[in-house]
């Protein structure tokens, strides 16, 4: 979905981050990526992004099932155009 929109992306597992805690994952991701896309709504409160060179895009979904994530992709792709390092943007369904 993100690749089709022209973005390079990997899952945490593909990037070798699968067993890492959120703090370590964020520190490692910062060297390789501009944005961390997550469904972990609490991560933004557990990690300080202010001094980091990475942004966080939080997909507010009920599960990691593709049917829950897919409706948020157009707004997520749009957010990726303007998100800045240190910024946290939440994308939720419109109900």
């Amino acid at each position: 979905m993100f690749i089709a929109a022209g973005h390079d992306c990997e899952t945490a597992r593909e990037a070798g981050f699968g067993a890492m805690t959120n703090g370590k994952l964020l520190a490692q991701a910062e060297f390789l990526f501009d944005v961390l896309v997550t469904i972990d709504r609490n991560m933004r409160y557990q990690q300080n992004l202010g001094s980091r060179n990475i942004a966080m895009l939080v997909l507010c979904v009920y599960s990691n099932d593709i049917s829950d994530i897919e409706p948020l992709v157009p707004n997520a792709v749009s957010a990726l155009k303007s998100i800045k390092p240190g910024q946290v943007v939440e994308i939720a369904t419109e109900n």
Side-chain angles (χ1 to χ4, degrees), residues 2-92:
F2 291 101
I3 293 172
H7 298 282
D8 293 328
C9 62
E10 294 181 37
T11 65
R13 185 174 294 139
E14 290 169 342
F17 304 154
M20 292 182 184
T21 61
N22 287 347
K24 188 169 183 176
L25 184 150
L26 193 58
Q28 291 297 311
E30 182 174 28
F31 292 107
L32 300 172
F33 304 102
D34 297 321
V35 180
L36 174 68
V37 180
T38 183
I39 63 169
D40 183 346
R41 294 183 199 187
N42 292 318
M43 192 172 179
R44 73 178 296 172
Y45 303 109
Q46 298 165 350
Q47 305 300 318
N48 181 1
L49 281 147
S51 62
R52 298 231 183 236
N53 289 321
I54 192 168
M56 186 182 306
L57 182 63
V58 182
L59 303 179
C60 300
V61 293
Y62 297 108
S63 76
N64 64 352
D65 189 273
I66 194 69
S67 64
D68 287 333
I69 296 171
E70 215 165 29
L72 301 183
V73 171
N75 287 341
V77 168
S78 180
L80 289 173
K81 294 176 185 174
S82 61
I83 196 168
K84 303 281 188 250
Q87 188 176 17
V88 177
V89 173
E90 287 189 354
I91 306 294

